[in-house]
PDB file of all heavy atoms in Angstrom:
ATOM      1  N   ALA B1400     134.155  -7.620   3.687  1.00  0.00           N
ATOM      2  CA  ALA B1400     133.131  -8.320   4.476  1.00  0.00           C
ATOM      3  C   ALA B1400     132.123  -9.006   3.547  1.00  0.00           C
ATOM      4  O   ALA B1400     131.727 -10.156   3.780  1.00  0.00           O
ATOM      5  CB  ALA B1400     132.435  -7.336   5.411  1.00  0.00           C
ATOM      6  N   SER B1401     131.744  -8.305   2.468  1.00  0.00           N
ATOM      7  CA  SER B1401     130.791  -8.898   1.516  1.00  0.00           C
ATOM      8  C   SER B1401     131.386 -10.139   0.862  1.00  0.00           C
ATOM      9  O   SER B1401     130.727 -11.181   0.742  1.00  0.00           O
ATOM     10  CB  SER B1401     130.435  -7.894   0.421  1.00  0.00           C
ATOM     11  OG  SER B1401     130.093  -6.676   0.982  1.00  0.00           O
ATOM     12  N   LEU B1402     132.651 -10.018   0.449  1.00  0.00           N
ATOM     13  CA  LEU B1402     133.309 -11.153  -0.195  1.00  0.00           C
ATOM     14  C   LEU B1402     133.447 -12.331   0.770  1.00  0.00           C
ATOM     15  O   LEU B1402     133.339 -13.489   0.377  1.00  0.00           O
ATOM     16  CB  LEU B1402     134.690 -10.727  -0.728  1.00  0.00           C
ATOM     17  CG  LEU B1402     134.675  -9.836  -1.968  1.00  0.00           C
ATOM     18  CD1 LEU B1402     136.062  -9.283  -2.250  1.00  0.00           C
ATOM     19  CD2 LEU B1402     134.180 -10.600  -3.190  1.00  0.00           C
ATOM     20  N   TRP B1403     133.688 -12.019   2.033  1.00  0.00           N
ATOM     21  CA  TRP B1403     133.815 -13.070   3.051  1.00  0.00           C
ATOM     22  C   TRP B1403     132.489 -13.819   3.212  1.00  0.00           C
ATOM     23  O   TRP B1403     132.443 -15.051   3.263  1.00  0.00           O
ATOM     24  CB  TRP B1403     134.246 -12.451   4.393  1.00  0.00           C
ATOM     25  CG  TRP B1403     134.307 -13.452   5.511  1.00  0.00           C
ATOM     26  CD1 TRP B1403     133.394 -13.656   6.491  1.00  0.00           C
ATOM     27  CD2 TRP B1403     135.326 -14.428   5.731  1.00  0.00           C
ATOM     28  NE1 TRP B1403     133.772 -14.670   7.313  1.00  0.00           N
ATOM     29  CE2 TRP B1403     134.963 -15.174   6.863  1.00  0.00           C
ATOM     30  CE3 TRP B1403     136.523 -14.735   5.068  1.00  0.00           C
ATOM     31  CZ2 TRP B1403     135.739 -16.206   7.356  1.00  0.00           C
ATOM     32  CZ3 TRP B1403     137.300 -15.763   5.571  1.00  0.00           C
ATOM     33  CH2 TRP B1403     136.901 -16.485   6.695  1.00  0.00           C
ATOM     34  N   VAL B1404     131.404 -13.048   3.278  1.00  0.00           N
ATOM     35  CA  VAL B1404     130.070 -13.647   3.416  1.00  0.00           C
ATOM     36  C   VAL B1404     129.771 -14.542   2.213  1.00  0.00           C
ATOM     37  O   VAL B1404     129.308 -15.683   2.350  1.00  0.00           O
ATOM     38  CB  VAL B1404     128.991 -12.540   3.565  1.00  0.00           C
ATOM     39  CG1 VAL B1404     127.587 -13.117   3.461  1.00  0.00           C
ATOM     40  CG2 VAL B1404     129.167 -11.823   4.889  1.00  0.00           C
ATOM     41  N   ILE B1405     130.065 -14.012   1.014  1.00  0.00           N
ATOM     42  CA  ILE B1405     129.825 -14.809  -0.204  1.00  0.00           C
ATOM     43  C   ILE B1405     130.678 -16.072  -0.192  1.00  0.00           C
ATOM     44  O   ILE B1405     130.197 -17.171  -0.506  1.00  0.00           O
ATOM     45  CB  ILE B1405     130.134 -13.956  -1.465  1.00  0.00           C
ATOM     46  CG1 ILE B1405     129.124 -12.821  -1.588  1.00  0.00           C
ATOM     47  CG2 ILE B1405     130.114 -14.811  -2.730  1.00  0.00           C
ATOM     48  CD1 ILE B1405     129.491 -11.776  -2.613  1.00  0.00           C
ATOM     49  N   TYR B1406     131.927 -15.920   0.223  1.00  0.00           N
ATOM     50  CA  TYR B1406     132.859 -17.052   0.194  1.00  0.00           C
ATOM     51  C   TYR B1406     132.462 -18.145   1.199  1.00  0.00           C
ATOM     52  O   TYR B1406     132.458 -19.332   0.865  1.00  0.00           O
ATOM     53  CB  TYR B1406     134.273 -16.544   0.505  1.00  0.00           C
ATOM     54  CG  TYR B1406     135.309 -17.640   0.512  1.00  0.00           C
ATOM     55  CD1 TYR B1406     135.780 -18.200  -0.669  1.00  0.00           C
ATOM     56  CD2 TYR B1406     135.802 -18.138   1.730  1.00  0.00           C
ATOM     57  CE1 TYR B1406     136.718 -19.205  -0.657  1.00  0.00           C
ATOM     58  CE2 TYR B1406     136.745 -19.151   1.750  1.00  0.00           C
ATOM     59  CZ  TYR B1406     137.200 -19.674   0.556  1.00  0.00           C
ATOM     60  OH  TYR B1406     138.124 -20.682   0.568  1.00  0.00           O
ATOM     61  N   VAL B1407     132.088 -17.722   2.409  1.00  0.00           N
ATOM     62  CA  VAL B1407     131.833 -18.700   3.477  1.00  0.00           C
ATOM     63  C   VAL B1407     130.410 -19.232   3.436  1.00  0.00           C
ATOM     64  O   VAL B1407     130.185 -20.442   3.538  1.00  0.00           O
ATOM     65  CB  VAL B1407     132.141 -18.074   4.866  1.00  0.00           C
ATOM     66  CG1 VAL B1407     131.744 -19.019   5.998  1.00  0.00           C
ATOM     67  CG2 VAL B1407     133.615 -17.740   4.958  1.00  0.00           C
ATOM     68  N   TYR B1408     129.448 -18.332   3.278  1.00  0.00           N
ATOM     69  CA  TYR B1408     128.046 -18.755   3.442  1.00  0.00           C
ATOM     70  C   TYR B1408     127.358 -19.122   2.124  1.00  0.00           C
ATOM     71  O   TYR B1408     126.522 -20.014   2.080  1.00  0.00           O
ATOM     72  CB  TYR B1408     127.251 -17.673   4.179  1.00  0.00           C
ATOM     73  CG  TYR B1408     127.776 -17.469   5.576  1.00  0.00           C
ATOM     74  CD1 TYR B1408     128.541 -16.354   5.906  1.00  0.00           C
ATOM     75  CD2 TYR B1408     127.545 -18.425   6.580  1.00  0.00           C
ATOM     76  CE1 TYR B1408     129.047 -16.168   7.177  1.00  0.00           C
ATOM     77  CE2 TYR B1408     128.054 -18.251   7.852  1.00  0.00           C
ATOM     78  CZ  TYR B1408     128.803 -17.117   8.148  1.00  0.00           C
ATOM     79  OH  TYR B1408     129.313 -16.969   9.400  1.00  0.00           O
ATOM     80  N   ILE B1409     127.693 -18.419   1.057  1.00  0.00           N
ATOM     81  CA  ILE B1409     127.031 -18.740  -0.215  1.00  0.00           C
ATOM     82  C   ILE B1409     127.844 -19.782  -0.984  1.00  0.00           C
ATOM     83  O   ILE B1409     127.284 -20.639  -1.661  1.00  0.00           O
ATOM     84  CB  ILE B1409     126.807 -17.454  -1.058  1.00  0.00           C
ATOM     85  CG1 ILE B1409     125.977 -16.471  -0.229  1.00  0.00           C
ATOM     86  CG2 ILE B1409     126.119 -17.760  -2.381  1.00  0.00           C
ATOM     87  CD1 ILE B1409     125.800 -15.112  -0.832  1.00  0.00           C
ATOM     88  N   ALA B1410     129.182 -19.669  -0.820  1.00  0.00           N
ATOM     89  CA  ALA B1410     130.120 -20.642  -1.395  1.00  0.00           C
ATOM     90  C   ALA B1410     129.934 -20.828  -2.908  1.00  0.00           C
ATOM     91  O   ALA B1410     129.841 -21.941  -3.404  1.00  0.00           O
ATOM     92  CB  ALA B1410     129.996 -21.982  -0.669  1.00  0.00           C
ATOM     93  N   LYS B1411     129.861 -19.706  -3.603  1.00  0.00           N
ATOM     94  CA  LYS B1411     129.767 -19.754  -5.069  1.00  0.00           C
ATOM     95  C   LYS B1411     130.966 -18.994  -5.640  1.00  0.00           C
ATOM     96  O   LYS B1411     130.958 -17.749  -5.659  1.00  0.00           O
ATOM     97  CB  LYS B1411     128.465 -19.081  -5.537  1.00  0.00           C
ATOM     98  CG  LYS B1411     127.297 -20.033  -5.664  1.00  0.00           C
ATOM     99  CD  LYS B1411     126.174 -19.323  -6.378  1.00  0.00           C
ATOM    100  CE  LYS B1411     124.950 -20.220  -6.519  1.00  0.00           C
ATOM    101  NZ  LYS B1411     123.824 -19.458  -7.042  1.00  0.00           N
ATOM    102  N   PRO B1412     131.989 -19.690  -6.093  1.00  0.00           N
ATOM    103  CA  PRO B1412     133.177 -19.005  -6.612  1.00  0.00           C
ATOM    104  C   PRO B1412     132.869 -18.044  -7.756  1.00  0.00           C
ATOM    105  O   PRO B1412     133.478 -16.979  -7.875  1.00  0.00           O
ATOM    106  CB  PRO B1412     134.076 -20.148  -7.080  1.00  0.00           C
ATOM    107  CG  PRO B1412     133.603 -21.356  -6.347  1.00  0.00           C
ATOM    108  CD  PRO B1412     132.142 -21.158  -6.122  1.00  0.00           C
ATOM    109  N   SER B1413     131.902 -18.426  -8.596  1.00  0.00           N
ATOM    110  CA  SER B1413     131.582 -17.556  -9.738  1.00  0.00           C
ATOM    111  C   SER B1413     131.012 -16.223  -9.261  1.00  0.00           C
ATOM    112  O   SER B1413     131.335 -15.152  -9.805  1.00  0.00           O
ATOM    113  CB  SER B1413     130.581 -18.251 -10.653  1.00  0.00           C
ATOM    114  OG  SER B1413     129.422 -18.553  -9.918  1.00  0.00           O
ATOM    115  N   LEU B1414     130.199 -16.278  -8.223  1.00  0.00           N
ATOM    116  CA  LEU B1414     129.623 -15.049  -7.666  1.00  0.00           C
ATOM    117  C   LEU B1414     130.726 -14.198  -7.029  1.00  0.00           C
ATOM    118  O   LEU B1414     130.742 -12.964  -7.141  1.00  0.00           O
ATOM    119  CB  LEU B1414     128.560 -15.404  -6.612  1.00  0.00           C
ATOM    120  CG  LEU B1414     127.811 -14.229  -5.997  1.00  0.00           C
ATOM    121  CD1 LEU B1414     127.056 -13.430  -7.049  1.00  0.00           C
ATOM    122  CD2 LEU B1414     126.853 -14.697  -4.898  1.00  0.00           C
ATOM    123  N   ASN B1415     131.654 -14.896  -6.361  1.00  0.00           N
ATOM    124  CA  ASN B1415     132.778 -14.219  -5.737  1.00  0.00           C
ATOM    125  C   ASN B1415     133.567 -13.415  -6.765  1.00  0.00           C
ATOM    126  O   ASN B1415     133.897 -12.242  -6.559  1.00  0.00           O
ATOM    127  CB  ASN B1415     133.692 -15.277  -5.092  1.00  0.00           C
ATOM    128  CG  ASN B1415     134.281 -14.758  -3.793  1.00  0.00           C
ATOM    129  OD1 ASN B1415     134.713 -13.626  -3.754  1.00  0.00           O
ATOM    130  ND2 ASN B1415     134.278 -15.571  -2.755  1.00  0.00           N
ATOM    131  N   ILE B1416     133.864 -14.074  -7.910  1.00  0.00           N
ATOM    132  CA  ILE B1416     134.624 -13.406  -8.970  1.00  0.00           C
ATOM    133  C   ILE B1416     133.805 -12.268  -9.575  1.00  0.00           C
ATOM    134  O   ILE B1416     134.329 -11.180  -9.849  1.00  0.00           O
ATOM    135  CB  ILE B1416     135.036 -14.439 -10.049  1.00  0.00           C
ATOM    136  CG1 ILE B1416     136.085 -15.384  -9.462  1.00  0.00           C
ATOM    137  CG2 ILE B1416     135.571 -13.763 -11.305  1.00  0.00           C
ATOM    138  CD1 ILE B1416     136.373 -16.614 -10.278  1.00  0.00           C
TER     139      ILE B1416
END
Side-chain angles (χ1 to χ4, degrees):
Chain B
S1401 311
L1402 287 170
W1403 176 259
V1404 170
I1405 293 168
Y1406 179 75
V1407 174
Y1408 297 105
I1409 302 173
K1411 269 191 181 172
S1413 59
L1414 183 60
N1415 216 316
I1416 291 168

